[in-house]
Amino acid sequence: MTSSPRPEADLHPPADRPARVTDLARQIVVISAVVFMIIAAMFGVGLFGGTNVRDLQNGALAADATALAPATQAFSIWSVVYLLMIAYAIWQALPGERTRERQRTVGWWVALTAVLNGGWLLAAQYLNLLATVVAIVALLVALCITMRRLVLSPAERWMDRLLLDGTVGIHLGWVALATVANIAAWLGAEVVPAPGEAAQTAWAIGVLVVVGLIGVALVVGAGGRIAPALAMAWGLVWIGAARTSGEPHAPAVGATAFIVAAVILLSAALAMVRRRTVAGAIGD
């Protein structure tokens, strides 16, 4: 006597069902968060009735607002971030990605970074500079946690490296630098009286040295991944370009920005070599 086939619902033990529902919910939340971020970005560039970011907050976020503001061209990196986030949202929604442990580890955090990214743009549009500082610091913290979780859960294939490590890394590197510029804009506009030219130059150079230390720390914390360093160096190069050819004109600040960018890239290259050497030694 043969037994009848078990119903499909019985093929999975009850303990597994909530996890599968949670996995599907995570995929939907990630897509929704990225859509929210893109819509907020549309407002941020002046579509849908919004005001362009460079014209918000009395111009405090413009490229010539402070000695630490990068040139306008630097912000084109947001297009890369958005494209990678969209690609990630599509990729993680595939059935084969639903129950992967790495997606479970960081999916909710990536969704949070997308929401905070959009939240910063809305804060810039409708609130004040202090609100933008709170939003971008929260975004930076969320990105640091996301990257740390990726480091503890190594990539299994090249799509992981591109659409998870690469996306989060570029987002993290750029936001780390943008946080410094955002805080400088807030302090310059609402807290600290406008310093003289010499004092502003000295202050900006000191901050860039701190940025260099932060960049090296990010390289180490990211396990030698190159993406955060590339994004930070990109922004620093455009700070250097803005200070050497635009206003406020501060060649010493520009030179410091170029040097700090080189130091961060060099530290990333050394970390990558060390990482591969260690991996090769373990493999042997």
Side-chain angles (χ1 to χ4, degrees):
M1 181 177 178
T2 59
S3 59
S4 59
R6 295 176 62 190
E8 178 65 24
D10 291 336
L11 294 179
H12 304 287
D16 188 45
R17 291 174 193 160
R20 294 176 67 85
V21 170
T22 302
D23 289 331
L24 179 59
R26 185 197 67 244
Q27 291 178 304
I28 294 172
V29 168
V30 168
I31 294 172
S32 302
V34 172
V35 169
F36 166 74
M37 181 187 70
I38 297 302
I39 293 174
M42 296 300 180
F43 278 96
V45 296
L47 299 177
F48 304 148
T51 302
N52 195 293
V53 170
R54 65 175 177 267
D55 299 321
L56 293 170
Q57 307 295 333
N58 296 318
L61 301 172
D64 58 355
T66 73
L68 292 173
T72 303
Q73 295 92 324
F75 297 98
S76 62
I77 196 173
W78 279 122
S79 298
V80 178
V81 173
Y82 294 146
L83 286 173
L84 286 172
M85 289 287 278
I86 291 170
Y88 168 73
I90 295 171
W91 172 61
Q92 65 86 39
L94 297 176
E97 297 297 316
R98 183 169 299 166
T99 58
R100 284 189 63 216
E101 194 58 36
R102 206 166 195 245
Q103 299 289 4
R104 288 172 168 170
T105 298
V106 299
W108 294 103
W109 285 98
V110 175
L112 177 61
T113 63
V115 171
L116 290 172
N117 184 311
W120 182 90
L121 288 161
L122 295 181
Q125 286 281 342
Y126 302 114
L127 299 176
N128 52 42
L129 279 173
L130 180 57
T132 66
V133 170
V134 173
I136 203 165
V137 169
L139 173 57
L140 178 60
V141 171
L143 284 165
C144 286
I145 293 172
T146 308
M147 177 55 73
R148 187 57 185 166
R149 293 173 76 87
L150 285 173
V151 171
L152 295 175
S153 177
E156 300 171 359
R157 46 197 180 188
W158 72 268
M159 286 291 281
D160 282 332
R161 296 183 182 92
L162 174 64
L163 296 182
L164 266 176
D165 300 71
T167 300
V168 175
I170 290 175
H171 201 176
L172 171 59
W174 174 250
V175 168
L177 185 62
T179 299
V180 174
N182 199 157
I183 292 174
W186 169 61
L187 292 174
E190 298 182 355
V191 180
V192 180
E197 183 176 335
Q200 186 179 35
T201 296
W203 173 78
I205 290 173
V207 171
L208 286 173
V209 171
V210 175
V211 168
L213 295 174
I214 292 172
V216 173
L218 282 181
V219 167
V220 174
R225 287 161 176 78
I226 191 68
L230 289 175
M232 288 195 77
W234 169 265
L236 285 162
V237 165
W238 284 110
I239 290 176
R243 298 294 74 79
T244 54
S245 62
E247 295 296 333
H249 189 64
V253 176
T256 304
F258 290 135
I259 293 170
V260 172
V263 168
I264 292 174
L265 288 176
L266 178 60
S267 68
L270 292 174
M272 287 180 64
V273 170
R274 181 178 181 277
R275 183 182 176 190
R276 291 177 180 177
T277 302
V278 171
I282 293 173
D284 293 338

